[in-house]
Amino acid sequence: MSTKLDTELQKAISSLPECVAAGYIDLSSGMLLAMRTVDSHPREVLDLLAAATADLFQGPNVTMIENLFKKARGVRDDGQHYFQEIIVNSDNLLHVFIRGKKAPEHVVGFVCRKSANLGMALTKARVALPGIEAAL
């Protein structure tokens, strides 16, 4: 991907509290388009991370839930997705995933140490999103 995207991801890592990685994922293909991290990781892990992110946002069960909500509310299925942000806490890490505003088929994911302030990490991730999307 572009050097500009790498630069924006690195800038975001620097601005989020205790951030150790950031990635940009295309949900339609399940591919990791760009990744910046303070550690090295096997390519297989990164590829699975991208596919898992696609499942989180658009897996069959998630899509079914969205469709049921639309039906229950009498809303026409216009392709709009309900899930815009997902936060995952693991044993040692905090993961923040945000769907793109300009490109809703893209997600930016941030990984911070668990000791990071969740509110600040989420706020800084939201602030970083426009610059990351503009880098495409």
Side-chain angles (χ1 to χ4, degrees):
M1 215 65 218
S2 76
T3 303
K4 189 172 180 186
L5 182 55
D6 286 337
T7 300
E8 286 297 319
L9 288 176
Q10 187 60 51
K11 194 163 82 172
I13 286 173
S14 299
S15 72
L16 268 77
E18 301 188 56
C19 190
V20 296
Y24 198 74
I25 298 120
D26 178 8
L27 296 176
S28 59
S29 67
M31 290 183 60
L32 182 64
L33 300 178
M35 178 76 176
R36 300 295 296 171
T37 180
V38 298
D39 295 323
S40 62
H41 302 285
R43 185 71 206 176
E44 300 84 27
V45 171
L46 299 177
D47 290 341
L48 284 174
L49 175 68
T53 302
D55 287 343
L56 274 175
F57 278 89
Q58 296 182 170
N61 290 325
V62 171
T63 303
M64 191 180 323
I65 290 168
E66 288 180 331
N67 290 337
L68 288 172
F69 276 135
K70 288 176 187 177
K71 184 177 179 183
R73 294 178 177 146
V75 176
R76 180 178 58 84
D77 187 3
D78 59 357
Q80 173 69 22
H81 295 284
Y82 284 130
F83 298 110
Q84 300 298 313
E85 299 174 348
I86 295 175
I87 307 217
V88 176
N89 288 303
S90 62
D91 287 342
N92 300 309
L93 299 169
L94 165 68
H95 309 262
V96 176
F97 300 93
I98 301 179
R99 185 185 294 273
K101 303 297 180 211
K102 288 181 10 182
E105 71 280 3
H106 292 167
V107 167
V108 63
F110 299 100
V111 181
C112 301
R113 291 183 185 90
K114 185 139 186 161
S115 56
N117 178 295
L118 172 60
M120 186 59 73
L122 183 57
T123 299
K124 294 287 190 172
R126 288 173 177 165
V127 168
L129 180 63
I132 293 169
E133 284 192 299
L136 286 180

